[in-house]
PDB file of all heavy atoms in Angstrom:
ATOM      1  N   HIS A 550     -19.351 -19.968   7.793  1.00  0.00           N
ATOM      2  CA  HIS A 550     -20.567 -20.734   8.206  1.00  0.00           C
ATOM      3  C   HIS A 550     -20.668 -20.764   9.655  1.00  0.00           C
ATOM      4  O   HIS A 550     -21.705 -20.607  10.315  1.00  0.00           O
ATOM      5  CB  HIS A 550     -20.319 -22.096   7.552  1.00  0.00           C
ATOM      6  CG  HIS A 550     -21.398 -23.139   8.072  1.00  0.00           C
ATOM      7  ND1 HIS A 550     -22.850 -23.031   7.652  1.00  0.00           N
ATOM      8  CD2 HIS A 550     -21.390 -24.159   9.089  1.00  0.00           C
ATOM      9  CE1 HIS A 550     -23.419 -23.987   8.304  1.00  0.00           C
ATOM     10  NE2 HIS A 550     -22.672 -24.634   9.197  1.00  0.00           N
ATOM     11  N   VAL A 551     -19.592 -21.060  10.444  1.00  0.00           N
ATOM     12  CA  VAL A 551     -19.561 -21.064  11.859  1.00  0.00           C
ATOM     13  C   VAL A 551     -20.198 -19.692  12.386  1.00  0.00           C
ATOM     14  O   VAL A 551     -20.883 -19.758  13.284  1.00  0.00           O
ATOM     15  CB  VAL A 551     -18.171 -21.361  12.540  1.00  0.00           C
ATOM     16  CG1 VAL A 551     -18.137 -21.230  13.925  1.00  0.00           C
ATOM     17  CG2 VAL A 551     -17.879 -22.873  12.178  1.00  0.00           C
ATOM     18  N   LEU A 552     -19.557 -18.652  11.875  1.00  0.00           N
ATOM     19  CA  LEU A 552     -19.952 -17.454  12.401  1.00  0.00           C
ATOM     20  C   LEU A 552     -21.479 -17.090  12.066  1.00  0.00           C
ATOM     21  O   LEU A 552     -22.150 -16.471  12.960  1.00  0.00           O
ATOM     22  CB  LEU A 552     -19.081 -16.209  11.785  1.00  0.00           C
ATOM     23  CG  LEU A 552     -17.599 -16.178  12.257  1.00  0.00           C
ATOM     24  CD1 LEU A 552     -16.840 -15.121  11.371  1.00  0.00           C
ATOM     25  CD2 LEU A 552     -17.562 -15.979  13.748  1.00  0.00           C
ATOM     26  N   SER A 553     -21.943 -17.611  10.903  1.00  0.00           N
ATOM     27  CA  SER A 553     -23.345 -17.397  10.723  1.00  0.00           C
ATOM     28  C   SER A 553     -24.239 -18.156  11.634  1.00  0.00           C
ATOM     29  O   SER A 553     -25.402 -17.739  11.971  1.00  0.00           O
ATOM     30  CB  SER A 553     -23.687 -17.785   9.234  1.00  0.00           C
ATOM     31  OG  SER A 553     -23.631 -19.242   9.000  1.00  0.00           O
ATOM     32  N   GLN A 554     -23.731 -19.338  12.176  1.00  0.00           N
ATOM     33  CA  GLN A 554     -24.426 -20.127  13.058  1.00  0.00           C
ATOM     34  C   GLN A 554     -24.383 -19.478  14.480  1.00  0.00           C
ATOM     35  O   GLN A 554     -25.380 -19.620  15.262  1.00  0.00           O
ATOM     36  CB  GLN A 554     -23.894 -21.565  13.164  1.00  0.00           C
ATOM     37  CG  GLN A 554     -23.930 -22.316  11.925  1.00  0.00           C
ATOM     38  CD  GLN A 554     -25.363 -22.427  11.297  1.00  0.00           C
ATOM     39  OE1 GLN A 554     -26.251 -22.847  12.033  1.00  0.00           O
ATOM     40  NE2 GLN A 554     -25.697 -21.911  10.098  1.00  0.00           N
ATOM     41  N   LEU A 555     -23.444 -18.684  14.805  1.00  0.00           N
ATOM     42  CA  LEU A 555     -23.290 -18.023  16.134  1.00  0.00           C
ATOM     43  C   LEU A 555     -24.339 -16.860  16.163  1.00  0.00           C
ATOM     44  O   LEU A 555     -24.827 -16.659  17.293  1.00  0.00           O
ATOM     45  CB  LEU A 555     -21.932 -17.498  16.304  1.00  0.00           C
ATOM     46  CG  LEU A 555     -20.868 -18.605  16.533  1.00  0.00           C
ATOM     47  CD1 LEU A 555     -19.548 -17.859  16.694  1.00  0.00           C
ATOM     48  CD2 LEU A 555     -21.054 -19.407  17.732  1.00  0.00           C
ATOM     49  N   GLY A 556     -24.696 -16.257  15.049  1.00  0.00           N
ATOM     50  CA  GLY A 556     -25.567 -15.111  15.080  1.00  0.00           C
ATOM     51  C   GLY A 556     -25.025 -14.022  15.913  1.00  0.00           C
ATOM     52  O   GLY A 556     -23.797 -13.793  16.061  1.00  0.00           O
ATOM     53  N   GLU A 557     -25.891 -13.053  16.303  1.00  0.00           N
ATOM     54  CA  GLU A 557     -25.405 -11.885  17.039  1.00  0.00           C
ATOM     55  C   GLU A 557     -24.942 -12.260  18.475  1.00  0.00           C
ATOM     56  O   GLU A 557     -25.418 -13.282  18.971  1.00  0.00           O
ATOM     57  CB  GLU A 557     -26.566 -10.814  17.117  1.00  0.00           C
ATOM     58  CG  GLU A 557     -26.828 -10.289  15.765  1.00  0.00           C
ATOM     59  CD  GLU A 557     -25.731  -9.494  15.050  1.00  0.00           C
ATOM     60  OE1 GLU A 557     -24.885  -8.803  15.859  1.00  0.00           O
ATOM     61  OE2 GLU A 557     -25.746  -9.520  13.942  1.00  0.00           O
ATOM     62  N   PRO A 558     -24.187 -11.459  19.116  1.00  0.00           N
ATOM     63  CA  PRO A 558     -23.489 -10.304  18.690  1.00  0.00           C
ATOM     64  C   PRO A 558     -22.214 -10.596  17.994  1.00  0.00           C
ATOM     65  O   PRO A 558     -21.673 -11.683  18.106  1.00  0.00           O
ATOM     66  CB  PRO A 558     -23.061  -9.656  19.916  1.00  0.00           C
ATOM     67  CG  PRO A 558     -23.022 -10.780  20.973  1.00  0.00           C
ATOM     68  CD  PRO A 558     -23.855 -11.796  20.592  1.00  0.00           C
ATOM     69  N   SER A 559     -21.784  -9.776  17.070  1.00  0.00           N
ATOM     70  CA  SER A 559     -20.595 -10.074  16.260  1.00  0.00           C
ATOM     71  C   SER A 559     -19.417  -9.318  16.906  1.00  0.00           C
ATOM     72  O   SER A 559     -19.584  -8.411  17.852  1.00  0.00           O
ATOM     73  CB  SER A 559     -20.707  -9.580  14.827  1.00  0.00           C
ATOM     74  OG  SER A 559     -20.788  -8.066  14.825  1.00  0.00           O
ATOM     75  N   LEU A 560     -18.174  -9.630  16.616  1.00  0.00           N
ATOM     76  CA  LEU A 560     -16.996  -8.919  17.042  1.00  0.00           C
ATOM     77  C   LEU A 560     -17.120  -7.417  16.708  1.00  0.00           C
ATOM     78  O   LEU A 560     -16.517  -6.571  17.392  1.00  0.00           O
ATOM     79  CB  LEU A 560     -15.787  -9.531  16.431  1.00  0.00           C
ATOM     80  CG  LEU A 560     -15.402 -10.917  16.968  1.00  0.00           C
ATOM     81  CD1 LEU A 560     -14.140 -11.465  16.114  1.00  0.00           C
ATOM     82  CD2 LEU A 560     -15.038 -10.837  18.371  1.00  0.00           C
ATOM     83  N   ALA A 561     -17.782  -7.045  15.545  1.00  0.00           N
ATOM     84  CA  ALA A 561     -17.710  -5.760  15.076  1.00  0.00           C
ATOM     85  C   ALA A 561     -18.625  -4.814  16.111  1.00  0.00           C
ATOM     86  O   ALA A 561     -18.463  -3.545  16.198  1.00  0.00           O
ATOM     87  CB  ALA A 561     -18.315  -5.501  13.713  1.00  0.00           C
ATOM     88  N   CYS A 562     -19.381  -5.448  17.027  1.00  0.00           N
ATOM     89  CA  CYS A 562     -20.196  -4.760  17.952  1.00  0.00           C
ATOM     90  C   CYS A 562     -19.588  -4.620  19.226  1.00  0.00           C
ATOM     91  O   CYS A 562     -20.112  -4.162  20.302  1.00  0.00           O
ATOM     92  CB  CYS A 562     -21.564  -5.407  18.141  1.00  0.00           C
ATOM     93  SG  CYS A 562     -22.528  -5.487  16.604  1.00  0.00           S
ATOM     94  N   GLY A 563     -18.268  -5.171  19.317  1.00  0.00           N
ATOM     95  CA  GLY A 563     -17.632  -5.159  20.690  1.00  0.00           C
ATOM     96  C   GLY A 563     -17.098  -3.854  21.040  1.00  0.00           C
ATOM     97  O   GLY A 563     -17.499  -2.750  20.560  1.00  0.00           O
ATOM     98  N   PRO A 564     -16.403  -3.846  22.287  1.00  0.00           N
ATOM     99  CA  PRO A 564     -16.025  -2.490  22.715  1.00  0.00           C
ATOM    100  C   PRO A 564     -14.991  -1.891  21.868  1.00  0.00           C
ATOM    101  O   PRO A 564     -14.197  -2.501  21.181  1.00  0.00           O
ATOM    102  CB  PRO A 564     -15.308  -2.813  24.150  1.00  0.00           C
ATOM    103  CG  PRO A 564     -15.071  -4.344  23.957  1.00  0.00           C
ATOM    104  CD  PRO A 564     -15.891  -4.824  22.935  1.00  0.00           C
ATOM    105  N   ARG A 565     -14.998  -0.541  21.753  1.00  0.00           N
ATOM    106  CA  ARG A 565     -14.120   0.210  20.867  1.00  0.00           C
ATOM    107  C   ARG A 565     -12.751   0.460  21.525  1.00  0.00           C
ATOM    108  O   ARG A 565     -12.701   0.639  22.853  1.00  0.00           O
ATOM    109  CB  ARG A 565     -14.718   1.602  20.576  1.00  0.00           C
ATOM    110  CG  ARG A 565     -14.426   1.907  19.117  1.00  0.00           C
ATOM    111  CD  ARG A 565     -15.160   3.249  18.902  1.00  0.00           C
ATOM    112  NE  ARG A 565     -14.208   4.167  18.314  1.00  0.00           N
ATOM    113  CZ  ARG A 565     -13.868   4.143  16.970  1.00  0.00           C
ATOM    114  NH1 ARG A 565     -14.594   3.425  16.169  1.00  0.00           N
ATOM    115  NH2 ARG A 565     -12.976   4.915  16.420  1.00  0.00           N
ATOM    116  N   LEU A 566     -11.643   0.584  20.873  1.00  0.00           N
ATOM    117  CA  LEU A 566     -10.325   0.779  21.342  1.00  0.00           C
ATOM    118  C   LEU A 566     -10.283   2.288  21.776  1.00  0.00           C
ATOM    119  O   LEU A 566     -11.071   3.180  21.397  1.00  0.00           O
ATOM    120  CB  LEU A 566      -9.304   0.708  20.160  1.00  0.00           C
ATOM    121  CG  LEU A 566      -9.035  -0.727  19.630  1.00  0.00           C
ATOM    122  CD1 LEU A 566      -8.172  -0.496  18.449  1.00  0.00           C
ATOM    123  CD2 LEU A 566      -8.372  -1.542  20.705  1.00  0.00           C
ATOM    124  N   PRO A 567      -9.428   2.533  22.862  1.00  0.00           N
ATOM    125  CA  PRO A 567      -9.260   3.899  23.244  1.00  0.00           C
ATOM    126  C   PRO A 567      -8.827   4.783  21.967  1.00  0.00           C
ATOM    127  O   PRO A 567      -8.041   4.299  21.156  1.00  0.00           O
ATOM    128  CB  PRO A 567      -8.168   3.862  24.260  1.00  0.00           C
ATOM    129  CG  PRO A 567      -8.122   2.459  24.697  1.00  0.00           C
ATOM    130  CD  PRO A 567      -8.590   1.529  23.629  1.00  0.00           C
ATOM    131  N   GLU A 568      -9.324   5.945  21.940  1.00  0.00           N
ATOM    132  CA  GLU A 568      -9.013   6.788  20.794  1.00  0.00           C
ATOM    133  C   GLU A 568      -7.568   7.021  20.266  1.00  0.00           C
ATOM    134  O   GLU A 568      -7.245   6.877  19.157  1.00  0.00           O
ATOM    135  CB  GLU A 568      -9.687   8.160  20.884  1.00  0.00           C
ATOM    136  CG  GLU A 568      -9.727   9.014  19.644  1.00  0.00           C
ATOM    137  CD  GLU A 568     -10.657   8.347  18.582  1.00  0.00           C
ATOM    138  OE1 GLU A 568     -11.733   7.615  18.942  1.00  0.00           O
ATOM    139  OE2 GLU A 568     -10.408   8.450  17.448  1.00  0.00           O
ATOM    140  N   ALA A 569      -6.784   7.138  21.300  1.00  0.00           N
ATOM    141  CA  ALA A 569      -5.270   7.296  21.001  1.00  0.00           C
ATOM    142  C   ALA A 569      -4.672   5.929  20.533  1.00  0.00           C
ATOM    143  O   ALA A 569      -3.968   6.046  19.503  1.00  0.00           O
ATOM    144  CB  ALA A 569      -4.457   7.509  22.381  1.00  0.00           C
ATOM    145  N   LEU A 570      -5.070   4.870  20.939  1.00  0.00           N
ATOM    146  CA  LEU A 570      -4.641   3.624  20.463  1.00  0.00           C
ATOM    147  C   LEU A 570      -5.071   3.362  18.909  1.00  0.00           C
ATOM    148  O   LEU A 570      -4.445   2.815  18.155  1.00  0.00           O
ATOM    149  CB  LEU A 570      -4.902   2.529  21.373  1.00  0.00           C
ATOM    150  CG  LEU A 570      -4.454   1.034  20.969  1.00  0.00           C
ATOM    151  CD1 LEU A 570      -3.123   1.057  21.026  1.00  0.00           C
ATOM    152  CD2 LEU A 570      -4.984   0.050  21.911  1.00  0.00           C
TER     153      LEU A 570
END
Side-chain angles (χ1 to χ4, degrees):
H550 174 74
V551 168
L552 291 175
S553 72
Q554 298 303 304
L555 291 175
E557 293 296 328
S559 72
L560 289 174
C562 298
R565 216 177 131 89
L566 291 172
E568 194 61 36
L570 183 59

